[in-house]
Amino acid sequence: MKSCDDISLQLLVEKNVVAPEVLDSVKDTLSPDQTYLEGLISAGYTTESQVQELLADEFSLPLIDLKEINAKQVTFDGFDRKMALERELLLFDVTGSTAKAAIHNPLMVDQLDDLAVSLGLDLQPCLCTKRALLNAIDRLLPEESETFKPLYQEIAESQAPSASSTSSPISSGTDEGAIVQYVHLIIKEALKRGASDIHLEPLEERFRIRFRVDGVLQETENPPKRLQPAIISRIKLMSQMSIAEKRLPQDGRIQMDIQDRLVDFRVSSVPSAHGETIVMRVLDKESLQLGFKELGLLEDDCDQLEKLISQPDGIILVTGPTGSGKSTTLYSCLNFLNKPHRKIITVEDPVEYQLSGINQVQVRNEIGMTFSAGLRAMLRQAPNIIMVGEIRDLETVEIAINASLTGHLVFSTLHTNDAPSAVSRLRDLGVEPFLISTSVRAIMAQRLVRRVCAECSEPVTPDPVDLATIDADIPSSETASWREGQGCPACRGTGFRGRIGIFEIMNITSEMESLIYSGCSLAQILSLALEQGMRTMRQDGLRKAMNGQTTLSEVLAVTTN
């Protein structure tokens, strides 16, 4: 009897996807534990998805995209993670006496009969790749869910009979030890997933917990709504906030030793309609040690940036929206310049990371230590390099300009959509054009895009609609290497793992200085920048999509024409 792999190979040859002689050439490259089919896929002659399409057509089975399935669709009695892994299938969409069964091997259809009888269901098979199936099981039936259930039960059993107690939310009939354990587990799970933020959000009928991973929010198993006050109070205590104050926003910090790793969190509490919402920002000190290539800068941009920040004076601006990686880029620049013969001072709000060898000043508006006040004081400390966390007003930018004109190299950030718009933003703040042209050396705009997962990426042909949207020259297929992640346990089924930056660097040349001095329009600045060789963020993203680092859809999602 033929195996599923045998049938797949036969179909690939019959449908002219793979030439017969290719099988012989692949044979010599196989590792001891690799099948012919796996060898063809790893060599790029076909993909898992293509094989499943052929099998689906041969066996008249519908294909299913398991990425569209959510946890509620697989929640019913008699089916759990253990059964899913043992039988290599996923049951979902139970409606009355019927359910759908996702399988990766069409020859398993006959085996579904026994399961259908034992569950009392009419099972309708549909086909997916094995990788997609295993990933969906990990995502929808995770092992960690078994960790929280006993903990919820322990907390429930410790609940006092009376819910009208006026004591502290943590001690009012709730097992404090269990709450402490729960909060610790949530933080561990966030770090395990590589989350940048933990969001605890009170809604009308539930208490939602979400992690931001690679810029995208992922919902995790939610605790019972009744535990909301105790969990929020525990986090506020850990971050040294007042648990009695629930009407005003509060900020705090937490430092924890988790699995031999010292982790800092910046915590924000804001009152909402259904209770206080908490956001815990994970401060990853390891990201500060990134070189320019690790940030995502390609070799030519690395060389250009190194030359720009090695100048003795002037202003270097980094622009982009909140969460676009501006601070990480600035810290990487400071690390590059941090040498014993240089004095570097920063003024930040807040000081999130402690940098070795750099003097950092915390903004405290309530006592008059504003950006401008801190910047004035810094100049009396005889620094070589200054970093201002953000330019927010005319006073701050004027002091920064004066510092740059008196021999200091100044780094700062602005919130603008692209590099040329920074000039307009400075003019809007009230800066004279001649001061902008003489002080600013370069402006770099950036965004973050998700990186294709290296574990499960496969060659793909980009969507013609997406290609038509890109207003840049598309190279021939021989020079481009478009890739997409298919989803695997390493990336939790997303196809992405980590993020990289896409950039546009506008160098203020003598021609650009003259143009800015004349009070020109934004369109004129952009036109000259492009004429002088500036690549837009979209064009830079296209380069990274073509070499398989990210996808075309990611680039289109975060950039504009």
Side-chain angles (χ1 to χ4, degrees):
M1 183 177 177
K2 287 186 177 181
S3 68
C4 184
D5 274 11
D6 293 334
I7 296 172
S8 299
L9 292 171
Q10 181 180 333
L11 290 173
L12 287 170
V13 174
E14 286 180 357
K15 302 296 183 181
N16 297 318
V17 176
V18 175
E21 56 269 20
V22 168
L23 297 180
D24 294 329
S25 65
V26 169
K27 180 180 180 180
D28 297 331
T29 66
L30 296 176
S31 60
D33 59 344
Q34 198 174 37
T35 66
Y36 270 115
L37 187 60
E38 290 169 341
L40 288 171
I41 292 172
S42 64
Y45 290 107
T46 185
T47 65
E48 283 187 87
S49 301
Q50 191 173 30
V51 171
Q52 293 306 95
E53 288 174 6
L54 294 175
L55 290 172
D57 183 61
E58 179 71 13
F59 287 87
S60 300
L61 291 175
L63 285 167
I64 181 70
D65 183 1
L66 293 178
K67 291 180 181 178
E68 305 296 325
I69 306 300
N70 60 52
K72 290 183 179 179
Q73 292 174 270
V74 297
T75 304
F76 58 94
D77 293 334
F79 182 72
D80 56 17
R81 177 184 176 86
K82 182 179 179 182
M83 180 184 291
L85 290 174
E86 286 179 350
R87 295 180 178 264
E88 294 189 347
L89 54 79
L90 185 70
L91 303 186
F92 61 98
D93 281 358
V94 177
T95 306
S97 60
T98 65
K100 294 178 181 177
I103 57 176
H104 68 88
N105 183 351
L107 300 181
M108 293 171 56
V109 173
D110 293 338
Q111 301 175 27
L112 292 179
D113 293 339
D114 293 339
L115 182 60
V117 172
S118 64
L119 294 177
L121 293 170
D122 177 20
L123 298 181
Q124 302 170 355
C126 47
L127 206 58
C128 63
T129 67
K130 185 174 183 178
R131 181 182 292 171
L133 175 65
L134 294 177
N135 175 70
I137 293 171
D138 277 339
R139 178 173 62 89
L140 302 170
L141 301 168
E143 290 179 300
E144 54 266 21
S145 64
E146 300 302 319
T147 303
F148 291 117
K149 288 176 182 175
L151 189 57
Y152 292 153
Q153 184 64 30
E154 180 183 342
I155 296 172
E157 290 173 355
S158 68
Q159 289 288 110
S162 171
S164 59
S165 172
T166 58
S167 59
S168 164
I170 285 186
S171 60
S172 59
T174 301
D175 185 349
E176 182 176 351
I179 292 295
V180 170
Q181 186 183 352
Y182 174 77
V183 171
H184 187 77
L185 284 173
I186 284 291
I187 292 173
K188 273 184 67 176
E189 178 63 17
L191 295 177
K192 178 182 174 183
R193 296 194 191 186
S196 60
D197 305 281
I198 305 171
H199 295 251
L200 299 95
E201 303 164 317
L203 304 178
E204 185 175 4
E205 297 181 350
R206 62 192 180 108
F207 184 36
R208 183 169 66 182
I209 310 291
R210 295 193 290 178
F211 304 137
R212 189 181 297 279
V213 181
D214 296 336
V216 178
L217 285 169
Q218 299 177 355
E219 188 165 348
T220 188
E221 184 182 0
N222 297 323
K225 176 72 172 175
R226 67 180 182 278
L227 301 182
Q228 175 184 312
I231 293 171
I232 289 178
S233 294
R234 171 59 189 168
I235 293 174
K236 291 176 71 176
L237 281 174
M238 292 171 66
S239 52
Q240 299 183 352
M241 298 182 191
S242 169
I243 61 172
E245 180 56 75
K246 301 180 180 179
R247 302 165 299 169
L248 297 173
Q250 296 186 70
D251 293 309
R253 296 179 73 93
I254 299 173
Q255 187 173 82
M256 296 180 66
D257 190 352
I258 301 177
Q259 295 179 336
D260 299 325
R261 178 184 175 190
L262 196 61
V263 184
D264 291 332
F265 299 87
R266 190 181 75 196
V267 185
S268 170
S269 168
V270 176
S272 68
H274 304 292
E276 294 171 279
T277 178
I278 300 280
V279 176
M280 303 172 67
R281 177 77 181 272
V282 182
L283 304 179
D284 183 8
K285 293 184 179 180
E286 293 178 3
S287 67
L288 303 184
Q289 306 302 319
L290 295 178
F292 296 143
K293 288 185 179 179
E294 287 74 21
L295 292 176
L297 286 156
L298 297 179
E299 190 169 349
D300 53 348
D301 285 338
C302 284
D303 293 340
Q304 184 180 4
L305 183 59
E306 287 180 10
K307 289 177 183 177
L308 288 170
I309 67 175
S310 297
Q311 297 180 92
D313 56 33
I315 298 178
I316 307 291
L317 292 174
V318 179
T319 76
T322 301
S324 60
K326 299 187 299 296
S327 295
T328 301
T329 298
L330 286 180
Y331 284 134
S332 295
C333 290
L334 294 183
N335 275 325
F336 178 83
L337 296 171
N338 190 13
K339 301 292 187 293
H341 64 279
R342 294 191 180 108
K343 180 164 184 174
I344 302 175
I345 304 181
T346 74
V347 55
E348 305 170 61
D349 183 21
V351 175
E352 294 184 345
Y353 303 95
Q354 299 292 332
L355 301 176
S356 176
I358 293 177
N359 303 279
Q360 295 172 270
V361 178
Q362 169 72 55
V363 167
R364 297 181 64 188
N365 292 316
E366 68 274 12
I367 62 171
M369 177 56 82
T370 60
F371 271 113
S372 56
L375 190 48
R376 282 197 192 92
M378 286 162 57
L379 293 175
R380 293 192 288 272
Q381 296 284 311
N384 302 107
I385 298 168
I386 295 169
M387 187 188 90
V388 185
E390 182 183 343
I391 289 177
R392 298 179 178 177
D393 52 45
L394 178 60
E395 185 180 13
T396 302
V397 71
E398 283 182 336
I399 299 171
I401 288 174
N402 288 332
S404 72
L405 295 176
T406 53
H408 302 87
L409 182 61
V410 181
F411 292 90
S412 193
T413 68
L414 275 177
H415 290 286
T416 64
N417 289 329
D418 54 27
S421 296
V423 176
S424 297
R425 174 64 179 148
L426 291 173
R427 289 196 299 222
D428 291 343
L429 287 173
V431 183
E432 294 293 337
F434 78 91
L435 288 175
I436 299 173
S437 64
T438 54
S439 61
V440 179
R441 296 286 179 264
I443 303 167
M444 183 167 77
Q446 67 179 72
R447 295 287 189 280
L448 293 176
V449 293
R450 290 182 292 174
R451 188 192 296 268
V452 169
C453 176
E455 298 293 328
C456 62
S457 69
E458 291 184 357
V460 295
T461 300
D463 188 332
V465 176
D466 287 344
L467 286 176
T469 306
I470 293 287
D471 57 347
D473 293 331
I474 302 296
S476 63
S477 58
E478 289 79 13
T479 59
S481 177
W482 309 97
R483 299 185 74 86
E484 285 186 8
Q486 303 304 303
C488 66
C491 62
R492 304 187 72 87
T494 63
F496 298 96
R497 195 177 183 191
R499 289 190 289 177
I500 57 172
I502 56 175
F503 307 88
E504 64 181 34
I505 303 175
M506 188 174 83
N507 195 0
I508 307 300
T509 63
S510 57
E511 294 87 351
M512 186 66 74
E513 282 186 31
S514 300
L515 193 62
I516 294 173
Y517 183 84
S518 67
C520 61
S521 67
L522 176 60
Q524 289 174 301
I525 295 174
L526 176 59
S527 177
L528 179 59
L530 294 174
E531 183 182 320
Q532 293 182 338
M534 183 191 81
R535 274 185 300 269
T536 65
M537 283 181 286
R538 174 167 285 190
Q539 290 169 337
D540 188 45
L542 176 60
R543 292 199 299 169
K544 285 156 188 170
M546 291 188 311
N547 64 24
Q549 290 180 279
T550 187
T551 65
L552 199 51
S553 58
E554 273 290 295
V555 175
L556 292 173
V558 302
T559 61
T560 57
N561 290 322

